[in-house]
Amino acid sequence: MKLRLILGWPPTVNSYYSISNHGKYVSKRGIKYHNDTTADVQEQGFRLGLEGRLKVHVKLHPPDKRKRDLDNHMKALLDSLTKAGVWEDDELIDELHIYRGEIISKGKVVVIIEEIIE
């Protein structure tokens, strides 16, 4: 079984967190991405609460030609999918494949999730 989601462009780990005298916390931009992801998941009628071991393919379609480290976007993406209830915790991911896609205005992410059957 393969499940497919299309999501908005995630913030980088550098803008996902804010730091204050009280410690590190998820920034306003990070919280907005959590909320947007939850709305996208609900709108697409995605099955929630996956509990088994998972294989995840992520294709990141950047919004422009700027140089980017793809892994810098994964923290916000995976945390947001957890917050949206897609899976219990991203610890369930045994395989994670990240690909760069073609440039798309405003950027987008295509996520394909497979339960690993042993």
Side-chain angles (χ1 to χ4, degrees), residues 1-15:
M1 169 185 64
K2 286 186 182 182
L3 304 169
R4 185 173 185 263
L5 275 170
I6 298 174
L7 305 170
W9 184 251
T12 67
V13 72
N14 298 330
S15 61

Side-chain angles (χ1 to χ4, degrees), residues 28-42 80 83-84:
K28 289 180 183 177
R29 188 169 180 203
I31 292 169
K32 180 180 181 331
Y33 190 72
H34 288 182
N35 294 337
D36 291 348
T37 299
T38 298
D40 289 343
V41 167
Q42 291 171 349
S80 293
K83 292 245 184 232

Side-chain angles (χ1 to χ4, degrees), residues 84-112:
V86 170
W87 45 56
E88 290 292 314
D89 190 87
D90 54 3
E91 176 278 330
L92 294 171
I93 300 170
D94 285 343
E95 289 184 44
L96 178 60
H97 303 269
I98 308 167
Y99 309 90
R100 187 183 314 271
E102 64 274 1
I103 295 169
I104 295 177
S105 177
K106 297 184 184 178
K108 79 172 183 179
V109 179
V110 178
V111 180
I112 296 173

Side-chain angles (χ1 to χ4, degrees), residues 1 12 20 30 44 49 55 62 66 72 112:
M1 169 185 64
T12 67
S20 74
Q44 292 173 54
K55 179 189 305 185
R66 282 186 280 171
N72 280 344
I112 296 173

